[in-house]
Amino acid sequence: MFRPLDPAPQPMVSVMLDGSPALLPAGANLAAALLAAGFTPFRRTPVSGAPRLPFCMMGVCFDCLAQIDGQANRQTCLETVREGMVIARQEGAA
Amino acid sequence: MAAVDHIVVGGGIVGAAIAYGLARAGEAVTLLDEGDVALRAARGNFGNVWVQGKGATAPDYADLTRQAAADWGDFSAALQDETGIDLHFRRPGAAYICFSPEELGKRAATLAASNLKARLCSPFEVLDRATLAERLPAIGPDVAGATYCPDDGTANPLYLLRALIKAMVARGGRYLPRHAVTGLARDGAGFSVETPQSRFSCGRIVLAAGLGNAALAPLLGLSGPVRPVRGQILVTEKLSPFLPMGTNFIRQTVEGGCIFGESSEEVGTDDGTTLPVLRDTARKAVTAFPLLRDARVVRAWGALRIMTPDGVPVYQGRDGAFVVCVHSGVTLAPWHAGGIVEHLRRGAFDPQTFQSFQPERFDVQAA
Amino acid sequence: MNAGTAMDLAIVGAGPAGLAAATEARAAGLSVALFDEQPAPGGQIYRNVTLARSAAQARVLGKDYAAGRPLAEAFLASGAAYHPSSTVWRIGADGLSFTAPQGGGDLAARHVLVATGAMERPFAVPGWTLPGVMTAGAAQILLKTTGSVAEGAVFAGCGPLLYLVACQYLDAGARIAAILDTTPGGALAAALPLLPRALRQPGLLWKGAGLLARLRRSGVPVHRHVAALRFEGEGALARACWTSGGRDHALDCRQAFLHHGVIPNPNMTMAARAAHRWDAAQAAFVVQHDAHGRTSQDWLWIAGDGGGIAGARAAALSGRIAARAIARALGKAAADPAILLPDLARESAARPFLDRLYRPAPQFLAPRDEATILCRCEEVTRGALARAVAEGCPGPNQFKAFTRAGMGPCQGRMCGTTIAQVFADLTGQDPRETGYFRIRMPVKPVTVGEIAGLPRTDQQSAREQ
C-alpha cells in the first residue's frame, strides 16, 4: 500500500514478524516499515476485536500498538527497527 | 417553590441507592446532586463488596455488612433486569494478602474475633503461601499468605451508580444534577431546601452528601461527623485475566484492567496523587503480582473516603430528617435500596435498632 | 534513579519551540535538559530533519521543512542535556518524571517548559477507525520517515496542512483519487473581515493560494463544500461516501487522509492543574498564559502550538521568548523577551483568518450520526453519549465514569474535545461550561515497574546474560 519514493535499495535487517522471519529497513520507523511491508492489522481491540492500523503516526492515538520483544501494547510509531526484533500482532488485552 | 415528599441530598452511591429504594416503595423522591466536577467518592470507589474483617469490633456493623453482602446477588440481578446495565457483580471470594507471617497471624486473629461477637458468621480460611499459589498462580514469591473469605465479591461501582439513578428515574423519581444545596432549614412540619436554581420543600429529607454532610447536618440539628481520608489508586491497561478473585488492595475488573491502592492520608480535600505514595503502591503491587511490572498504568487518582471517627457508619434520624454517613457505599447498597426504606418512611431511625450507629457515641468518648 | 543535579529548566518537546527555547536558554547561561519521545530532534513539523535526504525526497518535503535543520543543529551544539526516546509522564513544581530505554527516573528542575505542540483535531465520522484511514499529518510523517506514499488515496477535510500534503503527494508523483474539501460554503465571506490583519503575514497567504491553485490545475477531482462523510469497509477501508453539491457520492479507495486543523495537546498542562480556557476561534481547550508563556502555575511555561496554534515560525519565537523570561525569572541577565513580541505577532497575524476560514462545520465538530465512534480506545459511540445525556448525565467526567469513554491508553486525547462539543450540542451549553475530562498524571501510560522505580525487566535480563 505504501511504496517508497526512493527506489534505491536500503540495508535490511532480519526480524520476526508474527512468527515468521521478515526483512525490514534498518533503523526505520517501525510503524512505517510495517505499513510498507503490508502488515495488517497491527492489533485487534480488546473491546470488540476490531482491526486497527496506525492513525496519527505521532504517539497520540495508541492505535499502532503491537507486541515487541515480548512486551505488549508498544507504540510502534515510536520505535525503530532493530535486528532481531520480535514483532507480533496485539490480539486484544495485554 | 416545588413541593415534594422526599428529598435526598447527594447523588453518589449512597444517595442514589436510597432514592431508588424510596422510588421503588412508591414514594415521590427528588435526588439533588452537584455538577460534573465535584468531590465524588462514588467515582473513586474501589469496587469491593467486602465482608471479611468489617466491623471487627462493631458486631452490629458486621451483621449489617454481612446481610447486605448476602443480598448483593439478587440486588444486582434485579437492577440489571430493570435497567439493562450489568453491574459486573462477581463473588469469587477475596484474599487479604499478607506479606509476613506476623501479619498473617494478626489478621487471622482479627477475623476470628469478629466472628465471636457477630450474629451472622463469616467463614474464612488462613492460606499459607503454597495454598495461596494454587488458587492464585500469579502470586509473587515474597507473599507470606492470605486470609480468604468466600463471601467477598466485587462489582463496578460506576455502573452501579448509573443503574441506580436510571432505575430511580424509571420509577418516577427525579434526578437533578447541578443542584448543590446552598441552604437548608426546618420549615413547619417539613423542610425547605435552597439550590442555585430553585427552592424546594419536602416532608422528609435524607442527607447522603458524603463529605458535604459535615456542613449540612447541623442545619437540621443532626450530626455528620465525617472527615476525608485520601486513598491513591492506580489503574492499568486491560490485561488478560490473571486474578480470579478479589483482594484487599488489588483487583482485576471484568474489562481486564487492574485497579490497586491501599493508602490512607489525612490531607483535607486534596484529591491529587503524590509520587511517594504511588511508588509504594506500585512496589506493593509488583511484590504481590510480579507480572504487573510490565503492565502500563493509564490512570491514577486520589479518592476521598468518607470516614467517621471509628469507621463505623452513622445513621441518625428524627422528625423526618436523616443523615447517613457511610464509607462502604457499594457493599451496603442493597440495604440502602431496601431495608432502610421502612425506617425512612417512619420518619426516624429508632434508637434501639440503630443504637450502635448514633453519633453521640463520639461525644461519650470525648467526655 | 535521578538524571543528575537540579536543572534550571526542563523542556518537554523537541519541536521548533523546544529547540529554540533550549538554545536560547543555554545562551543565557541556564542549565537545560530537553526530553522528547522521538529518537531525533524536530518534533512533528521538522520530523527527521537531521536525516540525510535524497534529492527527490528533499524536493518533495520543501524549503520550509528544511528550515528546521539549522534549529536542530544549533540545539545539538548548545550543550543542553538531550533525552531522546524519553516519555515524560509527570511534571510538577519539583521537576519531572520520565521513562527512557536505558531506564527512566526523575529530574529536579526549577522551571518546566511544555513544548509538546499540537495534534490533529479528531475528525470523527462513521468508519474513521477502519484500517486505511489516517490523518494528513500521518501521511506527511510517512513522507518524512520512510519517504513513502500511498497510491489512490482520498484526502478529506480542510486547512493548510491538507493542501500542503496533497501537493507534496503531487510532487512525489503519487496518484490522488480525490480531494473532499469540507470548507463550508460562506466560510470565505465570514473570514474576510479578518483578512486585513492576515495581510501582515503575506507570505503565508501567498503560499496557501499557490497550493490551492496547484491542486486546481492538477486534474485531481476536488469536491467542495462536502457536508457529510463516512467510510465503509469490512475490516478495512473499501470506500468513501460523502455529500456535496446536494448529492451523495461514493468512491472506492483503500487509503484516506483526514485533516480538520490542529489543536493543542492539553494533557500535560491539564495534569499540572494549570488554568485552561475554551478558545472558540480554534474550537479547542488551550492553556491560559501571559505574553511570555507563563501559565497560572508560576513554575510552568508553554511555548509553541501547545499554547495556541500559530505554526512553526511562531513556535520558535515563542520558545525564545519563554526562555528569556525564564532566565530573567531566575535572575540571569538575559535579552529582553519583549523585543521578540512584534515578530511573534507578525508570524501569527494570519491565524485568526485561517482559523475562521477553515473552522470545520458544526456537524464535524460535534458529530450527529449515532453510530460514530467518539472514543476510539473504548469504542464508545455518539449514541451512547446521547443516551447518557437523556439520563441526566451532567458532564464529560460522569459520562466517562458511566461508559469508559476517555479511559483508554490515549487518555482522552482522541475524544475529549469531540465529547465536550457533543455534550455542548446536546445540552445547549457552551464547551466552556461543559468542561473537559479531569486529566491527571501519568500523562502517558507508564509501567507499574517504572512508577515503582524498578529497573526494566528487559534491561535486567540483558544484564544477566
Side-chain angles (χ1 to χ4, degrees):
Chain A
M1 182 64 77
F2 280 92
R3 64 159 176 85
L5 279 178
D6 201 332
Q10 307 154 275
M12 307 289 258
V13 291
S14 59
V15 302
M16 289 300 283
L17 184 54
D18 227 28
S20 308
L23 292 171
L24 293 179
N29 177 279
L30 180 60
L34 292 174
L35 282 171
F39 180 61
T40 181
F42 282 31
R43 75 181 185 112
R44 281 188 245 273
T45 64
V47 173
S48 73
R52 296 284 175 94
L53 281 180
F55 179 75
C56 78
M57 287 298 294
M58 54 179 275
V60 171
C61 74
F62 287 79
D63 260 324
C64 66
L65 307 179
Q67 209 184 85
I68 301 175
D69 295 336
Q71 211 191 5
N73 284 333
R74 303 260 299 256
Q75 288 174 283
T76 55
C77 74
L78 297 177
E79 301 280 345
T80 306
V81 174
R82 255 187 347 267
E83 168 96 51
M85 226 175 189
V86 178
I87 303 140
R89 185 164 289 121
Q90 182 65 50
E91 297 280 6
Chain B
M1 284 256 266
V4 296
D5 292 321
H6 293 259
I7 283 183
V8 179
V9 180
I13 289 171
V14 175
I18 288 173
Y20 165 61
L22 287 167
R24 198 164 55 160
E27 299 290 338
V29 57
T30 294
L31 179 63
L32 299 178
D33 196 12
E34 290 188 289
D36 189 48
V37 180
L39 291 177
R40 293 182 172 283
R43 294 209 301 242
N45 191 290
F46 194 77
N48 271 349
V49 177
W50 193 259
V51 171
Q52 70 165 286
K54 278 255 192 74
T57 53
D60 286 345
Y61 178 40
D63 286 333
L64 196 66
T65 297
R66 290 166 189 196
Q67 185 58 61
D71 293 338
W72 237 94
D74 291 339
F75 164 73
S76 160
L79 207 46
Q80 180 167 356
D81 283 341
E82 270 197 63
T83 62
I85 294 170
D86 183 353
L87 305 193
H88 290 171
F89 173 63
R90 303 284 186 273
R91 201 201 299 276
Y96 186 107
I97 296 172
C98 299
F99 294 89
S100 71
E102 295 75 37
E103 193 188 349
L104 186 58
K106 233 176 91 179
R107 176 76 189 162
T110 305
L111 295 187
S114 76
N115 268 345
L116 288 177
K117 301 207 194 113
R119 191 171 45 84
L120 300 170
C121 185
S122 174
F124 70 94
E125 299 171 62
V126 181
L127 307 176
D128 62 14
R129 203 207 160 271
T131 322
L132 181 61
E134 277 167 36
R135 303 199 196 177
L136 289 182
I139 200 80
D142 295 327
V143 171
T147 58
Y148 170 79
C149 173
D151 293 341
D152 292 327
T154 59
N156 187 314
L158 307 173
Y159 296 174
L160 169 64
L161 179 62
R162 181 175 193 181
L164 288 169
I165 294 174
K166 187 173 180 184
M168 179 205 66
V169 170
R171 284 174 178 274
R174 208 163 40 141
Y175 172 58
L176 297 178
R178 289 185 294 274
H179 278 66
V181 170
T182 51
L184 187 55
R186 279 191 189 272
D187 187 8
F191 306 88
S192 108
V193 183
E194 300 261 1
T195 70
Q197 292 84 341
S198 48
R199 183 194 283 161
F200 301 84
S201 69
C202 59
R204 298 265 193 275
I205 182 154
V206 181
L207 300 180
L211 295 172
N213 278 354
L216 292 174
L219 301 175
L220 300 175
L222 300 173
S223 173
V226 290
R227 75 192 191 285
V229 175
R230 180 170 73 186
Q232 298 190 32
I233 300 281
L234 296 162
V235 183
T236 71
E237 59 189 345
K238 296 182 213 273
L239 306 171
S240 301
F242 75 93
L243 189 47
M245 64 175 71
T247 77
N248 54 309
F249 79 99
I250 175 168
R251 73 179 184 96
Q252 185 172 23
T253 67
V254 165
E255 295 95 355
C258 247
I259 172 170
F260 53 95
E262 209 217 13
S263 56
S264 284
E265 305 165 273
E266 312 248 356
V267 288
T269 53
D270 182 352
D271 62 354
T273 49
T274 63
L275 213 40
V277 170
L278 292 185
R279 291 231 141 102
D280 282 344
T281 305
R283 278 196 199 111
K284 191 166 181 176
V286 173
T287 307
F289 295 101
L291 65 83
L292 286 176
R293 187 176 183 144
D294 288 341
R296 267 179 213 80
V297 172
V298 294
R299 286 197 310 292
W301 72 79
L304 299 175
R305 300 181 189 85
I306 300 150
M307 294 307 291
T308 58
D310 57 5
V312 173
V314 163
Y315 290 106
Q316 185 188 38
R318 53 174 178 263
D319 303 323
F322 299 86
V323 62
V324 174
C325 303
V326 157
H327 83 266
S328 271
V330 173
T331 307
L332 293 174
W335 153 250
H336 292 146
I340 205 178
V341 172
E342 58 164 302
H343 300 279
L344 295 173
R345 288 163 102 184
R346 259 189 241 129
F349 284 146
D350 78 84
Q352 287 312 98
T353 318
F354 289 87
Q355 186 179 34
S356 311
F357 303 109
Q358 297 310 301
E360 285 78 6
R361 66 187 188 269
F362 306 122
D363 304 334
V364 170
Q365 283 166 8
Chain C
M1 187 254 249
N2 281 325
T5 51
M7 290 280 164
D8 290 323
L9 175 59
I11 298 175
V12 187
L19 295 175
T23 308
E24 187 88 18
R26 285 293 301 142
L30 301 189
S31 57
V32 179
L34 187 148
F35 295 82
D36 188 73
E37 283 189 314
Q38 297 293 333
Q44 298 312 320
I45 195 157
Y46 296 136
R47 187 142 165 188
N48 276 13
V49 76
T50 53
L51 221 64
R53 295 273 172 201
S54 71
Q57 283 180 20
R59 193 176 43 82
V60 169
L61 292 170
K63 285 204 310 280
D64 283 345
Y65 169 73
R69 192 181 191 119
L71 254 186
E73 286 171 347
F75 161 72
L76 291 169
S78 70
Y82 175 39
H83 298 260
S85 301
S86 298
T87 298
V88 172
W89 56 271
R90 179 195 71 88
I91 58 173
D94 61 306
L96 53 79
S97 301
F98 65 99
T99 74
Q102 33 328 18
D106 302 324
L107 175 84
R110 294 183 189 89
H111 290 269
V112 177
L113 173 66
V114 170
T116 47
M119 54 182 218
E120 297 249 4
R121 180 193 307 281
F123 186 157
V125 294
W128 72 308
T129 57
L130 284 168
V133 180
M134 303 172 87
T135 62
Q140 198 181 60
I141 287 166
L142 285 161
L143 276 171
K144 290 170 181 169
T145 53
T146 49
S148 53
V149 293
E151 294 288 348
V154 165
F155 284 72
C158 61
L161 183 62
L162 186 77
Y163 311 131
L164 174 62
V165 181
C167 286
Q168 287 174 325
Y169 258 53
L170 291 177
D171 284 337
R175 185 179 71 83
I176 297 176
I179 294 177
L180 310 180
D181 192 322
T182 58
T183 309
L188 184 55
L192 271 177
L194 300 163
L195 186 56
R197 179 172 159 189
L199 291 172
R200 286 163 51 203
Q201 198 184 355
L204 190 69
L205 296 183
W206 197 242
K207 223 174 282 175
L211 294 175
L212 291 169
R214 175 102 199 280
L215 289 171
R216 269 197 292 277
R217 282 194 316 264
S218 68
V220 171
V222 177
H223 298 261
R224 299 176 67 222
H225 307 316
V226 168
L229 175 65
R230 70 176 188 282
F231 296 106
E232 293 178 353
E234 292 301 313
L237 175 63
R239 85 193 64 84
C241 309
W242 70 94
T243 307
S244 66
R247 283 174 43 229
D248 291 338
H249 306 257
L251 179 65
D252 285 353
C253 61
R254 309 263 297 284
Q255 189 67 46
F257 298 119
L258 304 180
H259 185 71
H260 263 162
V262 294
I263 58 176
N265 188 339
N267 284 35
M268 200 162 286
T269 46
M270 284 184 172
R273 307 216 203 180
H276 287 68
R277 63 183 175 83
W278 173 254
D279 185 319
Q282 299 202 333
F285 286 97
V286 183
V287 63
Q288 290 181 32
H289 60 87
D290 68 13
H292 300 154
R294 197 170 215 168
T295 70
S296 61
Q297 301 277 36
D298 62 11
W299 53 271
L300 179 62
W301 305 69
I302 188 86
D305 278 357
I309 304 301
R313 291 228 278 263
L317 281 164
S318 70
R320 293 176 61 198
I321 289 166
R324 291 182 182 191
I326 292 166
R328 287 188 164 200
L330 286 169
K332 307 272 190 203
D336 188 351
I339 298 172
L340 298 174
L341 288 173
D343 288 338
L344 180 60
R346 197 194 57 242
E347 287 298 337
S348 354
R351 193 41 55 175
F353 171 74
L354 292 173
D355 285 347
R356 185 61 197 86
L357 177 60
Y358 294 123
R359 184 185 311 150
Q363 69 271 20
F364 288 118
L365 290 178
R368 301 201 180 131
D369 189 318
E370 303 288 280
T372 309
I373 287 179
L374 298 184
C375 169
R376 293 172 64 104
C377 296
E378 295 287 333
E379 303 179 61
V380 182
T381 63
R382 198 263 188 201
L385 205 169
R387 281 192 292 282
V389 170
E391 284 173 30
C393 188
N397 289 285
Q398 193 88 322
F399 177 62
K400 177 177 174 181
F402 286 177
T403 64
R404 295 191 56 84
M407 286 191 181
C410 95
Q411 301 175 317
R413 287 172 174 88
M414 299 301 294
C415 64
T417 304
T418 315
I419 284 175
Q421 289 179 276
V422 175
F423 239 105
D425 199 30
L426 287 168
T427 57
Q429 294 176 307
D430 189 85
R432 195 169 19 103
E433 302 165 83
T434 308
Y436 197 83
F437 295 137
R438 176 107 183 265
I439 303 293
R440 305 171 189 83
M441 66 100 148
V443 294
K444 276 289 178 94
V446 58
T447 66
V448 181
E450 277 160 337
I451 292 182
L454 300 170
R456 279 171 59 146
T457 31
D458 53 352
Q459 248 196 309
Q460 193 163 28
S461 45
R463 274 204 295 272
E464 282 158 7
Q465 270 157 21

